[in-house]
Amino acid sequence: MTDAAHSTDPAAEYAEYADAPRIVSEILWVLRQVRAIRSLGTEQGREFWLRKAAVLDRIAIEEVTTYAPQVAAKAVETAEAAARRLVEYDATHTGLSLRGSDVVTDEDCRAYVRREYHAWNRAQLH
């Protein structure tokens, strides 16, 4: 796990989410998807893993800017795990190659989520 009080600028991190729906809306979307998939017995797709990772990253960013590192640590750890899950999904399903990749550390994975969410969200808006 990385230090919850990492040196990057939270405002810059959060900029990738400028056009994102409210956190509560995204949490509700994720929960609806979990219920729907359970009832259908199918696998979650990339949009689910991306949106889940992004909302958990947004929560972690807010926690880091609001609370002491030891308080924010669990949110950061959860965001890192979700980001890794998206990277694993993309490596398995979309051909993302991790050889020579800049997606190595937990923070790299979270930055990957931000970039991918930003690109996905812009595509949804246009």
Side-chain angles (χ1 to χ4, degrees):
M1 181 177 78
T2 60
D3 181 3
H6 52 81
S7 61
T8 56
D9 177 17
E13 291 173 335
Y14 213 79
E16 300 293 349
Y17 301 121
D19 295 323
R22 296 177 51 100
I23 288 176
V24 172
S25 297
E26 285 295 270
I27 290 170
L28 292 173
W29 183 90
V30 168
L31 292 173
R32 282 192 300 272
Q33 296 307 307
V34 168
R35 268 184 280 186
I37 293 301
R38 280 188 186 153
S39 69
L40 297 173
T42 59
E43 182 180 313
Q44 295 288 1
R46 184 176 195 268
E47 181 179 1
F48 172 81
W49 296 113
L50 176 61
R51 290 176 75 171
K52 180 179 178 181
V55 75
L56 292 171
D57 185 50
R58 292 167 62 193
I59 292 168
I61 291 167
E62 287 190 13
E63 292 272 318
V64 166
T65 61
T66 305
Y67 302 108
Q70 64 274 19
V71 175
K74 185 62 178 171
V76 171
E77 183 179 305
T78 302
E80 290 168 350
R84 284 229 176 254
R85 180 64 182 95
L86 175 66
V87 169
E88 290 167 7
Y89 182 91
D90 281 358
T92 302
H93 294 89
T94 68
L96 172 67
S97 174
L98 298 177
R99 287 189 186 153
S101 175
D102 62 347
V103 182
V104 178
T105 68
D106 289 333
E107 189 56 38
D108 294 340
C109 291
R110 288 181 63 199
Y112 176 80
V113 168
R114 292 176 199 128
R115 287 189 308 269
E116 293 298 306
Y117 185 86
H118 181 72
W120 173 84
N121 196 36
R122 286 184 57 83
Q124 300 303 307
L125 296 173
H126 298 240

